[in-house]
Amino acid sequence: MPEEPQNPTAGESETPSASSDTPQTTDLPSTNKPPAAAKKAAAKAADGDKPPAKAKKEKAPAVEDKPFAEFIQQDYLPALQTALTKQGVKDLDVSLTKQKLPVAGMSSAGDCWQVIGKFQEGQRQFNLYFPQEDIQSQRAFSCAENNTKTSTLEPFLIDERKITLDLMVFGVVQRLNAQKWLNLN
């Protein structure tokens, strides 16, 4: 086979040929990578050097998890008082008591825990009932005006999965607002 000239002549350009016997050099990254097993061993060694993960901080128990009477006295009544004062109620008196239901026809029922709120010199009264000593159990609401006896007992926040302090306060404010008893209506 005849050999091709090594030097190009004056008019010819030097272009690499795909059939050339000399290898072409390119700037490719090095293929000298450590084997996968070596990588895993290095990772395990690095994990052993790390300090143990910090334990998660435990959340403080929710105020709703307190015993019933303690929660109502220490948390709910002050929050309700504050919320209704912001709504313009001036002479609010709220308390927790256990007594018979003041609903007509319900006097034969046993005693029930009640949050009783009175304002406008006692002319308006609302009651929030807890037949069991638990805010997550059944609840009811009633209101009366001009010292009359309550005639209707209504369910209170029955569609809620978890009852919270804010939700209970909001429920009473919303109910009294619907009754058109608050000044900001």
Side-chain angles (χ1 to χ4, degrees):
M1 229 199 279
E3 236 179 85
E4 292 183 12
Q6 295 289 330
N7 293 334
T9 58
E12 295 178 12
S13 66
E14 184 177 343
T15 57
S17 160
S19 63
S20 151
D21 291 338
T22 58
Q24 299 288 324
T25 58
T26 58
D27 293 332
L28 294 177
S30 172
T31 57
N32 296 334
K33 294 182 180 177
K39 282 185 180 179
K40 288 181 183 177
K44 284 182 183 178
D47 286 344
D49 295 342
K50 290 182 183 177
K54 292 181 182 178
K56 290 184 181 179
K57 290 183 181 179
E58 291 187 28
K59 290 183 180 178
V63 293
E64 294 85 0
D65 295 336
K66 289 182 179 179
F68 176 78
E70 184 179 326
F71 166 74
I72 297 293
Q73 293 287 354
Q74 293 178 1
D75 299 303
Y76 183 63
L77 294 182
L80 184 61
Q81 179 92 32
T82 301
L84 290 176
T85 301
K86 285 180 182 177
Q87 293 290 323
V89 176
K90 302 272 189 250
D91 61 341
L92 180 64
D93 177 36
V94 290
S95 62
L96 174 67
T97 187
K98 190 170 186 177
Q99 64 185 21
K100 295 204 179 293
L101 294 172
V103 179
M106 297 292 289
S107 59
S108 62
D111 288 349
C112 175
W113 283 103
Q114 300 174 39
V115 171
I116 301 172
K118 295 180 181 182
F119 60 101
Q120 285 192 349
E121 298 174 5
Q123 294 298 308
R124 291 185 172 166
Q125 176 179 327
F126 64 89
N127 293 40
L128 182 55
Y129 304 97
F130 299 93
Q132 300 168 359
E133 203 169 322
D134 181 10
I135 64 167
Q136 302 297 335
S137 67
Q138 293 179 336
R139 296 160 306 281
F141 183 88
S142 69
C143 55
E145 199 167 14
N146 299 324
N147 293 323
T148 59
K149 199 162 192 166
T150 303
S151 61
T152 305
L153 193 64
E154 304 170 9
F156 183 74
L157 299 175
I158 60 171
D159 293 335
E160 306 302 325
R161 286 186 175 190
K162 178 146 176 80
I163 299 299
T164 63
L165 173 65
D166 293 338
L167 186 59
M168 287 176 57
V169 170
F170 173 75
V172 170
V173 170
Q174 183 182 30
R175 184 62 191 87
L176 295 177
N177 195 34
Q179 195 68 27
K180 304 290 185 198
W181 282 7
L182 301 179
N183 289 341
L184 299 178
N185 273 335

